[in-house]
Amino acid sequence: MMNAEDTRGGKASPDPQDLRRSVFYSIKFFVLCHSLLQLAQLMISGYLKSSISTVEKRFGLSSQTSGLLAAFNEVGNTALIVFVSYFGSRVHRPRLIGYGAVLVALAGLLMSLPHFISEPYRYDRISSVDMPQDFEASLCQPTTSVPAPTPAPSNSSCSSYTEAQHLAVVGIMFTAQTLLGVGAVPIQPFGISYIDDFAHNSNSPLYLGILFAVTMIGPGLAYGLGGLMLRLYVDIDRMPEGGISLTSKDPRWVGAWWLGFLVSAGAVALAAVPYFFFPKEMPKEKHELRFRRRALAAAASPVSKGEDSPSEQSPGESQEKQNSLTQIAPDLTVIQFIKVFPRVLLRTLRHPIFLLVVLSQVCMSSTVAGMATFLPKFLERQFSVTASYANLLIGCLSIPSAIVGIVVGGILVKRFHLGPVRCGALCLLGALFGLLLSLPLFFMGCSTHQIAGITRQPGNLPGPDLFPACTEPCSCPLDDFNPVCDPRTHVEYLTPCQAGCTGWLVQEALDKSQVFYTNCSCVVGGGPVPAGSCDSACSHLVLPFMLLVSLGAALASLTHTPSFILILRGVKKEDKTLAVGIQFMLLRVLAWMPSPVLHGSAIDTTCVHWAQSCGRRAVCRYYDHDLLRNRFVGLQFFFKTGSLACFALILVILRQQDKEEGTQVNVSPSGLQQQLLASGPGKKPEESRV
């Protein structure tokens, strides 16, 4: 190790080993690395939510199945998160964080594997290199030249291999999501405890604030990445020679969902590298020293600092830490820890404030989980926007609004020194106004346009109703999907064949080409009709809808910091650390795991036309837009009402406790002295319930 005087004089060149030690023994560098790692980890965890509708179309999944897939991220996490407090100080925390990050990166690669083992995407029943053959396959063919369709035509292309491949693909994605959750277990808890242990006491809140601020950008980047990737065609790595005849607005379009997982996995893998060079313990940061002097001191005597750091703690702090279960846990065996944990859990849940705050956060988290998973799909269906545009709206409006809400809530608590009662009042106001902003969402949308043979608008008789025998000469496959839209009557047909079209033409433009179908016997005037679905009549409402959603997200996020303060004030001092861990565990079990499945099941009940694949129900082609809006927004309204009710009860209990404390203060000094004498010297004063 080089001499400190040589370095101060600037004559000796630093040894690479000393330079490495000075960097990796810096808590500031650890904060930087951990911020980037948590950013990348949240980006890969949230990316599936941005491409959920695309994955459904690509692999024929229902919304319930895709919601379960999204929730499986929490299964592995919840199963192992309890043991973090047990292994907290027994392991090499930075190295374990690195191993977890590597597992997350491998899970991201595994998540993209189904794309490479599956056959190329076929948006048409007869999808070949020859583009004209694609168009002609959906035309009205005379019954004499084409054999009549069988009752289950899709089964002819099915085989045991196809079904086995489908099950394998779904199993791989569920396994990858579970591994994503398992890999994320050590990242946040060990990182926060490592920073808190070796940062100066006055610097630790600042470092954790920077960590959370950078981390919160992760979900926004996930939606932004989804918006960029879904503009690219899914088989961009194996495009057919003749190209494709789809645009991103076509309902059959599938974007390159897998590419985002590769990008995110690469980012996590790069962020994991520094953790294998951090020490198990580093010298505690000295706040009063400048950076240069601190670095020289660290290089001169890192061991002595590490030995002296425990002596800086006050006796009171060390006694509190000894009373905490998280500090006792390293002295217990795994079996003893499992036996002790339920008792502490029940003791913590007996606090009424803690229980009500957790229930309110469960309701709020259920709202967030449902929105984060299915809001892109809702925007696609309700307002006829592309998947990439829906993701960009969420990433640019909703996520930043939520971040602003959390920051403003923290500023209000700190600036006005809010106590428990005022924190409860702030939470109540935030939940109330967030609930009121949800009411207009019920009316911002329009009904499903008429789809020939599926939905019918009252009073309208276009298409097959106006021309009852228009498709009799045609032999239309029952499971084909190549929609066309009659712009005059706003009627959509599943295929050109069902519109009675016998010809097609391509109209070339500067940036894209548009396909039109002609000689359509079910269309007034015979056409031509453009390929693709009919646009929604209320597409212009997507921005007002998203502004209201974003404002509601900001108000809901306003309750984050005050409710956290209520939890910290609502339990005994020695149980605070474990109470926060129990809070996050309950949020995962009661909100983040069931909420996506519940929202997906509600969305499935609004489907009016299912695609069939090998005799089973696959992806939903069309929804009843009014039912979809009422049930999706209704679920959000239900959970927000539950959160509001919990905060109202919390405020009532806090006010009652304030009154009781006020009456105790008014007790006469002699009476107070008698109470103290009666309590005896061996009894400790009772902890405040708040």
Side-chain angles (χ1 to χ4, degrees):
M1 191 172 293
M2 63 181 179
N3 197 351
E5 287 79 2
D6 295 337
T7 309
R8 193 175 291 110
K11 295 180 181 179
S13 59
D15 188 60
Q17 184 177 1
D18 296 335
L19 185 62
R20 190 183 71 242
R21 287 177 66 85
S22 66
V23 170
F24 289 102
Y25 273 70
S26 168
I27 195 66
K28 291 185 177 69
F29 185 63
F30 184 87
V31 171
L32 173 64
C33 293
H34 205 62
S35 300
L36 295 177
L37 176 62
Q38 286 200 180
L39 176 73
Q41 183 258 322
L42 276 183
M43 185 168 68
I44 196 171
S45 297
Y47 179 75
L48 176 65
K49 297 176 176 63
S50 71
S51 54
I52 201 83
S53 62
T54 302
V55 172
E56 285 179 14
K57 279 192 282 189
R58 179 64 182 91
F59 298 107
L61 305 179
S62 65
S63 293
Q64 185 183 38
T65 305
S66 62
L68 185 63
L69 179 63
F72 250 68
N73 188 11
E74 306 294 337
V75 172
N77 200 303
T78 307
L80 298 176
I81 195 71
V82 177
F83 294 97
V84 168
S85 56
Y86 173 74
F87 290 108
S89 58
R90 295 188 174 196
V91 296
H92 193 300
R93 283 176 289 183
R95 200 168 293 167
L96 202 64
I97 292 172
Y99 291 141
V102 170
L103 183 59
V104 168
L106 292 176
L109 295 178
L110 187 63
M111 195 69 196
S112 65
L113 181 62
H115 167 75
F116 298 100
I117 65 174
S118 301
E119 295 181 358
Y121 172 59
R122 293 188 175 183
Y123 56 86
D124 208 316
R125 286 297 166 191
I126 304 176
S127 181
S128 61
V129 178
D130 216 3
M131 285 177 56
Q133 191 174 352
D134 290 345
F135 299 138
E136 292 172 1
S138 298
L139 293 178
C140 175
Q141 304 288 343
T143 53
T144 54
S145 60
V146 178
T150 58
S154 60
N155 291 337
S156 59
S157 60
C158 294
S159 63
S160 57
Y161 171 76
T162 308
E163 277 299 288
Q165 188 184 44
H166 174 78
L167 291 175
V169 162
V170 174
I172 287 172
M173 289 193 290
F174 273 95
T175 304
Q177 281 293 103
T178 306
L179 292 179
L180 271 179
V182 172
V185 166
I187 293 178
Q188 188 174 18
F190 285 165
I192 291 174
S193 64
Y194 194 83
I195 292 171
D196 194 51
D197 284 350
F198 301 115
H200 192 276
N201 292 337
S202 61
N203 290 343
S204 180
L206 174 65
Y207 292 155
L208 294 179
I210 294 171
L211 176 67
F212 290 135
V214 175
T215 299
M216 285 189 293
I217 304 173
L221 287 181
Y223 284 104
L225 183 64
L228 293 175
M229 296 297 109
L230 297 183
R231 290 183 178 183
L232 306 173
Y233 185 61
V234 61
D235 289 326
I236 192 173
D237 57 330
R238 45 188 178 184
M239 290 281 281
E241 294 179 8
I244 58 170
S245 58
L246 292 182
T247 63
S248 58
K249 292 200 71 173
D250 194 298
R252 297 172 295 166
W253 174 270
V254 171
W257 62 274
W258 53 275
L259 199 53
F261 283 109
L262 294 182
V263 173
S264 304
V268 173
L270 287 176
V273 172
Y275 286 89
F276 296 99
F277 300 98
F278 283 108
K280 183 178 181 180
E281 295 180 353
M282 67 168 62
K284 192 169 179 68
E285 187 182 31
K286 295 290 185 182
H287 182 64
E288 65 272 16
L289 295 179
R290 293 174 181 262
F291 174 78
R292 187 184 296 264
R293 292 175 60 190
R294 184 161 63 249
L296 292 172
S301 57
V303 178
S304 62
K305 279 191 179 181
E307 293 171 351
D308 293 338
S309 57
S311 64
E312 296 174 359
Q313 300 174 357
S314 64
E317 288 179 351
S318 60
Q319 183 64 34
E320 289 173 5
K321 289 190 175 182
Q322 288 176 2
N323 292 336
S324 173
L325 176 65
T326 54
Q327 298 298 322
I328 298 173
D331 299 328
L332 302 176
T333 64
V334 179
I335 304 298
Q336 290 172 334
F337 178 77
I338 294 174
K339 288 180 179 178
V340 169
F341 179 76
R343 191 163 64 245
V344 180
L345 175 63
L346 292 175
R347 186 177 72 188
T348 307
L349 290 178
R350 279 205 304 266
H351 293 83
I353 298 296
F354 175 81
L355 187 59
L356 285 171
V357 171
V358 169
L359 285 177
S360 68
Q361 290 185 341
V362 163
C363 293
M364 204 67 77
S365 297
S366 298
T367 304
V368 174
M371 274 282 188
T373 308
F374 289 109
L375 184 58
K377 178 175 182 173
F378 178 84
L379 296 179
E380 290 176 50
R381 298 292 183 168
Q382 192 72 41
F383 302 108
S384 297
V385 298
T386 62
S388 59
Y389 184 60
N391 284 319
L392 289 177
L393 282 177
I394 296 170
C396 296
L397 291 177
S398 297
I399 304 295
S401 299
I403 295 174
V404 170
I406 293 175
V407 173
V408 170
I411 291 174
L412 290 175
V413 171
K414 181 175 176 60
R415 175 70 178 82
F416 297 103
H417 306 287
L418 301 183
V421 175
R422 291 187 176 181
C423 281
L426 181 60
C427 291
L428 183 66
L429 288 175
L432 176 62
F433 285 111
L435 183 69
L436 293 177
L437 283 175
S438 298
L439 288 174
L441 301 182
F442 283 102
F443 311 100
M444 299 181 70
C446 48
S447 302
T448 308
H449 55 271
Q450 182 172 354
I451 304 160
I454 297 175
T455 62
R456 179 180 300 175
Q457 296 288 349
N460 293 335
L461 290 175
D465 293 328
L466 187 61
F467 306 104
C470 61
T471 57
E472 278 188 6
C474 308
S475 177
C476 302
L478 299 178
D479 57 346
D480 201 2
F481 185 63
N482 181 15
V484 295
C485 177
D486 182 359
R488 300 180 201 174
T489 57
H490 212 60
V491 175
E492 186 170 326
Y493 301 87
L494 291 179
T495 61
C497 180
Q498 294 195 11
C501 302
T502 58
W504 63 275
L505 59 90
V506 178
Q507 192 175 68
E508 297 290 342
L510 292 175
D511 54 344
K512 62 180 180 180
S513 59
Q514 177 69 49
V515 179
F516 289 89
Y517 292 93
T518 58
N519 302 327
C520 303
S521 58
C522 298
V523 177
V524 179
V529 292
S533 289
C534 298
D535 288 333
S536 172
C538 47
S539 299
H540 60 283
L541 293 177
V542 64
L543 281 178
F545 185 93
M546 281 305 301
L547 288 175
L548 281 177
V549 168
S550 302
L551 194 55
L555 288 170
S557 303
L558 196 69
T559 66
H560 181 269
T561 303
S563 62
F564 201 81
I565 295 296
L566 289 175
I567 284 182
L568 295 179
R569 300 290 186 273
V571 296
K572 292 183 178 180
K573 188 172 291 186
E574 63 267 20
D575 289 341
K576 283 182 182 179
T577 306
L578 200 67
V580 174
I582 292 170
Q583 171 203 6
F584 285 116
M585 184 188 73
L586 291 176
L587 289 182
R588 284 188 171 94
V589 172
L590 300 178
W592 290 98
M593 287 171 62
S595 181
V597 183
L598 183 62
H599 280 79
S601 301
I603 290 173
D604 281 343
T605 61
T606 67
C607 184
V608 293
H609 178 65
W610 291 93
Q612 298 293 320
S613 175
C614 297
R616 63 174 179 84
R617 197 174 71 175
V619 68
C620 181
R621 299 288 192 201
Y622 294 104
Y623 292 92
D624 184 328
H625 288 179
D626 289 332
L627 266 182
L628 175 63
R629 183 174 64 257
N630 290 334
R631 291 184 181 175
F632 184 75
V633 178
L635 265 179
Q636 303 284 307
F637 192 84
F638 170 76
F639 285 123
K640 288 181 180 180
T641 305
S643 179
L644 179 67
C646 290
F647 282 131
L649 287 174
I650 289 168
L651 194 59
V652 169
I653 294 174
L654 289 174
R655 287 184 180 277
Q656 185 65 30
Q657 290 178 358
D658 261 13
K659 287 181 181 178
E660 292 176 2
E661 289 176 1
T663 56
Q664 290 175 2
V665 169
N666 293 331
V667 176
S668 63
S670 59
L672 182 62
Q673 187 175 5
Q674 290 176 2
Q675 288 181 8
L676 291 174
L677 289 173
S679 63
K683 294 185 179 180
K684 294 182 180 179
E686 187 180 355
E687 285 269 359
S688 173
R689 284 170 293 175
V690 182

